[in-house]
Amino acid sequence: YLVCTCMAQQLSRVGSRQTGFNGSLTPAQRKALLALKEALLAFALDNIEDGEEQNPDLTQPGDPVRPGTLREEAEEAELLADSRTGLLRLLRTSDFDVRKARDLAVTCCKWRASVKPWSIGPELIPVALPSGMWRFGGHTKAGMPIVLVDVAKWAPADYRYGLDEYIRYVAYFMEGAIGRMGPGVEQICMICSMAGWTSEMMQPLAVRCASKLLYIWQNIYPERMGAIFLCNATQAFQGYFFRILRPWMSHRFLSNIHFVGSNLRETLFKHIDPSQLPAHIGLTPVGGTHEEHDVPWRSVPDELDAFIADLGGVDCLPSASDGLNAITMPCSTEIKGDASATNTGDIDLLIGKTQILEVMLFENTLTIDWHITGDLHGVVFGYKVCSPGILGQRIHKEGSLDVADGACSPASAGCITGTLDLVGHKW
């Protein structure tokens, strides 16, 4: 097992109470919010002055994803500048660095002007949409719309328009899910049946699609993914494909990914009522009572209008319950190491006191990463790999890190990161 310890020589807070949301902004964060809005409006004004008088024709089937006009980018910037929650998502993703948030906002506006997600219809995704790989589900107990994914139906090599079709497919569902959000809801829950994953899904085009998906989630729709449940993931996915994709994921994004195995129903039903789930998602039985959700077949606005009408109107959309708009997993003091997973949590570090976290290791444990942020001045992080022995605890590896080490970033209030490679280690 791995024992991780943190000791503070002064009072520190790791992952202190979250700020940066409506109703919990500090003075500095309010100032950053105003600065970002002004910067975005300035970008819009510059583009309007330099933009064309008329927009080009709407995208036709077979057209590649190409840059939008300056005026389209300006319109997107104006819409984003009017969205307080949208600006705060960008700022939180950028740790309230206005310059980084402004660059990310401009990237979002340019992408939306290019892809035009609000106007995507079935003619632009003729193979991906009817495949039924992605479907809209119900809502979580916190009000988050659910997207159901059956990986067994993923065949990117069959897409008529290649990578562009997949980009529009992702945008179609992101826009549709956002349109299903009620008051106070900002995030989406995705449940993926990984049963049926094959080596064919590790071909170059599939890797490009997966990397583009991660880019869209993290840069175009930052902080929109509240939870991603990967159910019954195969060894091929966990041991190979996920390791390829992992460098493209931020620690913030990784904390939203949960691998679910034998305790699938217990985990899902904790956050989702069975009436909101079907009996099966692809090859994975989840035990829900809802009939199988239909494969969408209309444009984004038409599909959303039909959904709202069937629901009984916009007022019937579930709101965020008790302000809870995220799914979090408890940070246990014991973590099993027999499957890929990310565990997060907050702890108080008191002067001279040690906090201990134990990770149970199995023979197939490959690596363990840690990422600690907060006010870490005077904090030392140590680790040791141990196993029971005849004469007591046997130590295989050990080491320590603090904010002064090269892997740290004191300029960002403190960050301790590291990786422990256990490949080939015999217990």
Side-chain angles (χ1 to χ4, degrees), residues 3 50 71 83-84 93 107 126 146 164 189 214 220 236 243 259 265 287 307-308 319 360 377 379-380:
V3 179
D50 298 335
R71 187 169 294 275
S83 172
R84 183 184 178 91
T93 300
T107 298
I146 300 171
D164 286 346
C189 174
L214 293 174
I220 308 304
R243 295 186 71 183
F259 284 80
R265 294 189 184 187
F307 170 77
I308 297 297
S319 59
M360 305 303 295
H377 297 295
V379 173
V380 177

Side-chain angles (χ1 to χ4, degrees), residues 30 54 58 83 106 208 319 327 392:
R30 293 192 189 95
Q54 295 182 343
L58 292 177
S83 172
V106 169
R208 290 174 62 200
S319 59
I327 289 176

Side-chain angles (χ1 to χ4, degrees), residues 163-194:
L163 183 61
D164 286 346
E165 182 168 344
Y166 186 71
I167 291 172
R168 290 178 173 130
Y169 186 54
V170 173
Y172 177 96
F173 276 90
M174 291 302 295
E175 292 297 308
I178 291 171
R180 286 164 166 75
M181 292 179 180
V185 181
E186 292 188 50
Q187 294 185 309
I188 300 165
C189 174
M190 178 171 281
I191 306 174
C192 305
S193 167
M194 304 304 295

Side-chain angles (χ1 to χ4, degrees), residues 96-211:
F96 277 84
D97 184 317
V98 176
R99 180 175 296 179
K100 291 181 180 178
R102 186 265 182 194
D103 291 343
L104 185 58
V106 169
T107 298
C108 291
C109 294
K110 289 180 177 290
W111 185 90
R112 291 184 65 84
S114 171
V115 177
K116 300 177 178 58
W118 63 89
S119 65
I120 295 175
E123 69 281 356
L124 296 177
I125 42 179
V127 177
L129 187 60
S131 72
M133 177 191 171
W134 289 30
R135 303 185 189 206
F136 296 112
H139 290 79
T140 69
K141 295 176 182 178
M144 290 192 290
I146 300 171
V147 175
L148 308 173
V149 179
D150 179 7
V151 172
K153 295 180 179 178
W154 190 34
D158 295 339
Y159 292 162
R160 186 178 303 173
Y161 304 130
L163 183 61
D164 286 346
E165 182 168 344
Y166 186 71
I167 291 172
R168 290 178 173 130
Y169 186 54
V170 173
Y172 177 96
F173 276 90
M174 291 302 295
E175 292 297 308
I178 291 171
R180 286 164 166 75
M181 292 179 180
V185 181
E186 292 188 50
Q187 294 185 309
I188 300 165
C189 174
M190 178 171 281
I191 306 174
C192 305
S193 167
M194 304 304 295
W197 179 273
T198 68
S199 60
E200 292 297 318
M201 300 171 186
M202 294 185 276
Q203 298 300 316
L205 178 58
V207 174
R208 290 174 62 200
C209 287
S211 66

